[in-house]
Amino acid sequence: MGNVALDTLMSDFLQKSGGVAVIDGGLATELERYGADLNDPLWSAKCLLTSTHLIRQVHLDYLEAGADIIITASYQATIQGFEAKGYSPEDGESMLRKSVEIAHEARDIYYERCLESSSDCDCSHNGRILKHRPILVAASVGSYGAYLADGSEYSGDYGDAMDLEFLKGFHKRRVQVLAESGADLIAFEAVPNKLEAQATTKPILIYPNSGETYDAQRKQWVKNSGVPDEDFVSYVNTWCEMGASLIGGCCRTTPNTIRAIYRALPTRSESSN
C-alpha cells in the first residue's frame, strides 16, 4: 500500500475511532497463559504450526478488551526461521498467510458476537466490550534480531559485518507475502537498528512494553521490573495531548492493560461506563 493510500486509510479509520485508536497488547505472554510452550526459536510463531486456536482466542480477548487494531502472530515468523525447522519456503509463506487469516477469523467472530449482543454502545458485557466498530488487521514484521532469537531485537547489535542490502533481502519476500495476504497494514515491530530502519520506507509507530527487562541468556522476562497497569495507563492522556493517535501496548501487556487504555480515552469512557 502506498503512503497516500495508507494516509487516507488511517485518516478515515481514526475519524471513525473518535480520533484515537487502540492497538492490542502482548501476544506471547497471553499464549503462554493459555498453556502454549514457546520455548523455541520461532517463539509465538510456533503456534502457527501447533495451536492456531490459541492465537485466535488471544486476538478475540484483545478485541473484547477494546482493541481497534490487532497484530498478527507473524512477529517471529520468517521464511528463514521455518526453513531452519525443516519446512520448505512454500510452507513458510503459507504460515505467514495463515497468521493473517487467523486474525481475520477472529475479527469475523467478534463481529458476530457484537450482532448477537444487539448493542449499539460501548457497553460492557461481563467485562467484554462488544461494539461493531472499524477494526484493522496489522501484519507483524519483526526485526532481523527477532529471527536470531538472541535478544538482539532489543539491542540492535547485529555485528559490524551487517549491511543494508542483506537486511533488505532478508525482509523482502516476507513483506511481499504479508502485503498480498489481505492485511490492512504492515507493522514493523521492535526495529532497534538504525540501518534496518532504513530498509523500511514506511511510517514508524511506537508503543511501549510493560517496562520489564528481558534476559537474553535465560530467554525470560525479569519479573517485577515493570509497571502496574494503572501506572502504565496514567500516561494515556499525556500521549494524546502530545498528538498520539494510536495507543497500545507491547511485550508483557495484557487485555487488562488494553481495556484500561480503552476506558481511559475521553472519546470512549463516557459510553463504556
Side-chain angles (χ1 to χ4, degrees):
M1 180 179 292
N3 285 340
V4 174
L6 177 60
D7 290 344
T8 301
L9 170 68
M10 291 306 299
S11 177
D12 292 344
F13 174 68
L14 289 171
Q15 184 177 15
K16 293 175 182 177
S17 301
V20 180
V22 180
I23 308 171
D24 65 9
L27 175 66
T29 303
E30 292 302 296
L31 289 172
E32 289 177 326
R33 186 172 68 83
Y34 277 113
D37 179 6
L38 305 185
N39 185 20
D40 189 278
L42 289 175
W43 200 32
S44 56
K46 177 184 176 184
C47 288
L48 291 171
L49 300 168
T50 62
S51 310
T52 57
H53 65 292
L54 296 185
I55 299 173
R56 188 181 302 106
Q57 182 60 55
V58 174
H59 286 324
L60 278 166
D61 289 345
Y62 278 117
L63 290 173
E64 293 184 348
D68 305 304
I69 299 176
I70 51 175
I71 301 177
T72 64
S74 52
Y75 173 80
Q76 201 96 348
T78 64
I79 296 170
Q80 299 90 334
F82 286 120
E83 283 188 280
K85 300 288 287 187
Y87 294 90
S88 69
E90 293 75 19
D91 290 333
E93 292 181 10
S94 177
M95 290 300 104
L96 290 170
R97 296 186 188 96
K98 181 179 287 188
S99 71
V100 177
E101 291 171 5
I102 295 168
H104 282 165
E105 290 169 3
R107 180 170 61 182
D108 290 343
I109 293 171
Y110 177 76
Y111 282 151
E112 290 174 4
R113 292 180 180 178
C114 290
L115 288 174
E116 291 170 359
S117 75
S118 300
S119 174
D120 293 325
C121 68
D122 294 4
C123 302
S124 294
H125 298 256
N126 297 321
R128 299 182 300 159
I129 296 167
L130 296 174
K131 177 178 174 58
H132 196 287
R133 62 189 185 279
I135 293 169
L136 298 183
V137 171
S140 176
V141 176
S143 65
Y144 177 65
Y147 157 72
L148 294 177
D150 61 359
S152 58
E153 71 262 44
Y154 303 108
S155 68
D157 183 8
Y158 298 166
D160 295 335
M162 185 56 59
D163 61 55
L164 182 61
E165 290 307 312
F166 174 84
L167 290 169
K168 284 184 177 180
F170 176 81
H171 287 296
K172 184 177 181 180
R173 181 55 186 160
R174 177 193 191 189
V175 173
Q176 286 177 335
V177 171
L178 289 172
E180 296 167 357
S181 67
D184 301 299
L185 303 169
I186 302 290
F188 291 86
E189 297 193 89
V191 181
N193 185 288
K194 182 178 180 181
L195 185 67
E196 189 167 18
Q198 292 172 356
T200 72
T201 57
K202 305 297 181 183
I204 296 174
L205 300 177
I206 299 174
Y207 54 100
N209 60 32
S210 66
E212 295 181 50
T213 303
Y214 185 73
D215 187 322
Q217 292 187 338
R218 291 190 296 165
K219 298 187 183 303
Q220 294 179 350
W221 290 92
V222 179
K223 294 183 178 180
N224 302 321
S225 61
V227 297
D229 284 344
E230 55 268 26
D231 289 344
F232 186 100
V233 174
S234 69
Y235 292 101
V236 168
N237 287 331
T238 300
W239 293 333
C240 290
E241 290 169 2
M242 295 174 66
S245 57
L246 294 165
I247 298 175
C250 196
C251 299
R252 306 291 283 181
T253 57
T254 71
N256 287 335
T257 314
I258 302 308
R259 185 177 294 105
I261 290 174
Y262 179 94
R263 290 175 173 163
L265 294 173
T267 55
R268 308 294 179 90
S269 59
E270 292 183 2
S271 56
S272 62
N273 291 328

